[in-house]
């Protein structure tokens, strides 16, 4: 039974049980309506509590029912019925109360949560808006500005923040259900506090308008964030029932939209990425102490990611001075997280407390896993891993963060190479969600499973990639850049290509990205590969010309663009250099429309994606979508390049 009713004296306890995440499926909705009616009809019941069995409170409507014929009772009606109850109903929240789950709790007359509970309305991440009263009830409890932030970002609130903002009455100290029963009993005989009847607090309309403008800018073409934010404003302008109707209409329209279908593909793809054939029953190895070799930009970010996820970190550098610099770099990242409010002072101290830095590799011997982020050169890597093989336990896992080298060549020097794999982080490693888990030729199943489990514990998205130059992401990015460079030589200009792709929804165009990363890194690699480059293949020398002219990007104040006083502008010197390169190549330049630029780029990406699938480097098209979305700024609301190409 999806919803059971038990008694605790004069309190009826409704318990939802629908594993794995108590989604508000049809059975749950019908069960709630029936048990609520029974509790309300029973004179010996004076109050009601609503809680969930298993690991979490309701994590939302059942996304698996989307696109199916809708079955009554609909969730808004269930929430309204709870709100209308003449006996007080208390929600007891543990785990994650998300979407329709939080909306159920908002329909209750009071809410209590366990200290580690989280709450949010992440519907925008599925291309929809809350559809069961969330945009109308939430602002009545936490105010308009905070509600706009929560519904337009889909972020979660901790129990502490929820309590401070007025979303929940209290945080349970000890047994959650017992505390909820006490709270429910304290409300017996009082008029239930129906959220829908609470006036929306006054708000600063100018400030909220600015908020919505920022939401639209950040959405880069995605509809749902601004739609959700506007509905919150309407809550302050319309009678409650009309606000609910406006929300429902917006929900029903968006749930049919291409953007929502694409984002639901991404939701399902993320769950699928963790499912690897043959690893279903493979138990990961225990990992608690992690070694990080190289505490430069990448290494420091990786160390912060592991510390934030509760691991003990031993960071090693080549000498004392570098080790000290590495520690300062890590502390600097924490200081920035603190300043931006992403971490509390207590958490910063606790996490840094699990860090130790050394100048001797021998200090890595207690590690369960060691990952390196040293200079991306084969001889540097092989020397390191040959040494590490003699230092750490024979069963300790060794991982490389290489972006372009062949991990199988590195594995050749590793003792017990079955314990070696690639964990390719993206910069900044403590922020970027994507990690390519590189399946080396000899990796043991439980080592691969451990890699995926570690990435999940880091709160990141692991995508398995086979071994080829650049793995999935950089290989496709090379193809994407190649198409862009061809158009550059054929007549387009960097700002035109960037504008076309940003107009399509990319976070940033390739030339602006290149200027941020620095042109010299890829120049060094091109020079390394020049001897083996296929002379039959078209080669565009524009980037080389720019580097020869000292255009290394933002770090030199000029790259594909000019950077003055923090502003980016078109550089006539670059335009002239590009036109000269076309002439040198005997090409008559022509104009490019934005649509053609986007189509050429997508064709290039999809063609490389198909090759990667044919070679078995990626396990499925949706993995490629996830890599481009989470590592290269491809707009999630378009579902990914392979999805756009009709490959599911
Ligand atoms: N419906 C159905 N199945 C769900 C689900 C959902 N809402 N959420 C998760 N699952 C499945 C998931 O597919 C996987 O299944 C298993 O649960 C474990 O998930 C009216 C309309 C809750 C934080 O957007 O964010 O409410 O792959 O691997 O990492 O306004 O899942 O094992 O077969 O992700 O521990 C709004 C979505 C819906 C929350 C758990 N809610 N879920 O994370 O496990 S729209 C959401 C999550 C809505 C109303 C509207 C996470 C999680 P399988 P998992 P996890």
């Amino acid at each position: 039974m999806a919803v059971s009713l038990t008694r605790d004296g004069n309190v009826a306890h409704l318990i939802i049980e629908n594993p794995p995440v108590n989604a508000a499926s049809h059975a749950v909705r019908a069960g709630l309506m029936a048990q609520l009616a029974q509790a309300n009809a029973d004179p010996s019941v004076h109050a009601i509590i609503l809680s969930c069995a298993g690991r979490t409170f309701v994590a939302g409507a059942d996304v698996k029912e989307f696109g199916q014929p809708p079955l009554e009772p609909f969730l808004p009606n269930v929430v309204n019925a709870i709100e209308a109850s003449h006996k007080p109903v208390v929600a007891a929240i543990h785990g994650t109360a998300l979407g329709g789950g939080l909306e159920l709790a908002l329909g209750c007359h009071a809410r209590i949560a366990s200290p580690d509970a989280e709450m949010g309305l992440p519907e925008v991440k599925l291309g929809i808006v809350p559809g069961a009263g969330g945009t109308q009830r939430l602002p009545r409890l936490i105010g308009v500005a905070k509600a706009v932030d929560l519904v337009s970002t889909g972020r979660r609130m901790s129990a502490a923040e929820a309590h401070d903002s007025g979303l929940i009455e209290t945080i349970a100290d000890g047994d959650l259900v017992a505390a909820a029963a006490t709270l429910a009993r304290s409300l017996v005989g009082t008029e239930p506090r129906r959220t829908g009847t609470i006036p929306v607090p006054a708000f600063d309309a100018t400030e909220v308008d600015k908020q919505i403008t920022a939401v639209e800018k950040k959405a880069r073409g995605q509809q749902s964030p601004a739609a959700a934010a506007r509905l919150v404003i309407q809550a302050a302008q319309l009678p409650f029932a009309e606000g609910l109707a406006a929300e429902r209409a917006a929900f029903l329209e968006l749930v049919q939209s291409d953007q929502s279908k694409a984002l639901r593909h991404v939701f399902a793809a993320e769950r699928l990425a963790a499912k690897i054939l043959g690893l279903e029953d493979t138990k990961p190895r225990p990992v608690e102490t992690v070694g990080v070799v190289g505490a430069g930009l990448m290494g420091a970010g990786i160390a912060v990611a592991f510390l934030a996820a509760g691991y003990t970190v031993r960071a090693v550098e080549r000498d004392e001075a570098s080790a000290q610099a590495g520690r300062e770099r890590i502390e600097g990242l924490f200081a920035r997280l603190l300043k931006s409010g992403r971490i509390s002072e207590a958490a910063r101290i606790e996490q840094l407390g699990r860090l130790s830095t050394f100048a001797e590799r021998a200090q890595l011997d207690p590690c369960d896993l060691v990952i390196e982020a040293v200079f991306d050169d084969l001889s540097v890597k092989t020397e390191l891993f040959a040494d590490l093989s003699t230092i750490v336990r024979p069963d300790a896992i060794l991982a490389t963060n290489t972006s372009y080298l062949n991990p199988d060549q590195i594995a050749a020097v590793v003792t017990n190479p079955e314990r070696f794999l690639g964990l390719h982080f993206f910069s900044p490693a403590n922020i970027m969600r994507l990690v390519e888990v590189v399946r080396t030729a000899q990796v043991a199943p439980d080592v691969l499973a451990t890699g995926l489990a570690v990435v999940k514990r880091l709160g990141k998205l692991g995508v398995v990639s086979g071994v080829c130059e650049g793995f999935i992401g950089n290989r496709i990015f090379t193809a994407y850049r190649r198409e862009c460079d061809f158009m550059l030589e054929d007549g387009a200009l960097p700002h035109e290509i960037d504008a076309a792709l940003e107009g399509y929804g990319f976070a940033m165009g390739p030339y602006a990205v290149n200027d941020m990363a620095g042109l010299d890194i890829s120049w060094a690699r091109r020079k390394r590969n020049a001897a083996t480059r296929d002379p039959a293949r078209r080669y565009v020398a524009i980037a080389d010309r720019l580097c020869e002219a000292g255009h290394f990007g933002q770090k030199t104040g000029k790259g594909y663009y000019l950077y003055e006083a923090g502003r980016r502008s078109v550089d006539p010197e670059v335009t002239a250099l590009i036109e000269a390169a076309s002439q040198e190549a005997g090409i008559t330049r022509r104009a490019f429309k934005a649509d053609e630029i986007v189509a050429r780029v997508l064709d290039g990406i999809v063609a490389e994606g198909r090759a990667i699938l044919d070679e078995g480097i990626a396990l499925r098209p949706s993995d490629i979508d996830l890599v481009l979305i989470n590592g290269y700024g491809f707009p999630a609301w378009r579902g990914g390049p392979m999805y756009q190409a009709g490959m599911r």
Side-chain angles (χ1 to χ4, degrees), residues 623-642:
D623 284 355
I624 296 174
D625 289 333
L626 293 178
V627 168
L628 270 287
I629 288 169
N630 291 282
Y632 299 83
F634 193 99
W637 54 270
R638 294 202 185 261
M642 308 313 278

Side-chain angles (χ1 to χ4, degrees), residues 20 55 59 61-64 100 103 123 131 156 271 275 456:
R55 64 179 169 133
D62 189 336
V63 290
K64 295 190 178 77
E103 290 172 302
E123 283 85 346
R156 295 183 199 165
R271 270 91 209 150
K275 298 193 166 70
K456 176 147 188 160

Side-chain angles (χ1 to χ4, degrees), residues 531-595:
T532 56
R533 190 167 48 238
D534 175 355
R537 288 194 82 166
R538 180 179 177 182
Y539 181 76
V540 176
I542 292 170
D544 298 342
R545 297 284 168 283
L546 282 171
C547 291
E548 287 150 12
H551 286 243
F552 292 149
Q554 289 186 14
K555 59 179 132 189
T556 54
K558 55 183 181 177
Y560 285 94
Y561 296 92
L562 205 51
Y563 297 87
E564 291 164 327
R567 274 175 42 70
R568 181 177 86 185
S569 60
V570 173
D571 185 344
E573 196 186 307
V574 172
T575 305
L577 186 151
I578 292 172
E579 288 166 348
S582 303
Q583 203 167 18
E584 195 187 314
I587 293 169
T588 308
R589 297 178 60 76
R590 66 172 181 87
F592 280 81
K593 288 206 169 42
D595 292 354

Side-chain angles (χ1 to χ4, degrees), residues 285-351:
R285 298 185 186 180
V287 175
E288 283 309 327
T289 303
V290 172
V292 178
V293 184
L297 189 67
M298 279 307 282
I302 292 171
V304 170
F306 276 98
L307 291 165
Y311 292 96
T312 298
V313 173
R314 299 168 80 84
V316 168
E317 264 287 359
R318 60 181 175 280
D319 54 42
E320 281 306 336
S322 310
Q324 184 50 35
R327 172 173 279 276
E328 285 160 14
R329 203 170 286 116
I330 293 168
E331 288 172 350
L333 288 176
F334 274 112
R336 271 166 51 193
L337 290 170
L338 186 67
K339 195 154 165 270
S340 66
R342 281 190 224 207
I343 192 175
S344 68
E345 175 59 4
R348 186 187 74 83
I349 293 167
E350 190 280 323
Q351 293 177 22

Side-chain angles (χ1 to χ4, degrees), residues 19-24 55-66 75-76 96 98-101 103 118 120-123 125-126 128-134 156 247-248 251 255 267-268 270-272 274-275 456:
V21 294
N22 292 314
R55 64 179 169 133
T56 181
F57 194 79
V58 175
D62 189 336
V63 290
K64 295 190 178 77
E65 290 183 357
F66 286 15
L75 194 56
T96 52
L98 302 174
E103 290 172 302
E118 291 186 320
L121 294 173
E123 283 85 346
K125 296 182 180 174
L126 296 170
I128 55 177
V129 294
R156 295 183 199 165
E247 179 196 82
R248 192 69 186 165
F251 169 80
V255 82
F267 177 85
E270 291 195 6
R271 270 91 209 150
L272 208 51
K275 298 193 166 70
K456 176 147 188 160

Side-chain angles (χ1 to χ4, degrees), residues 406-425:
N406 178 341
D408 286 330
Q409 286 182 313
I410 303 172
V413 304
V414 173
T415 323
N416 309 338
E418 70 280 359
R419 41 101 170 247
F420 178 77
L421 79 173
L423 290 178
H424 179 219
F425 286 75

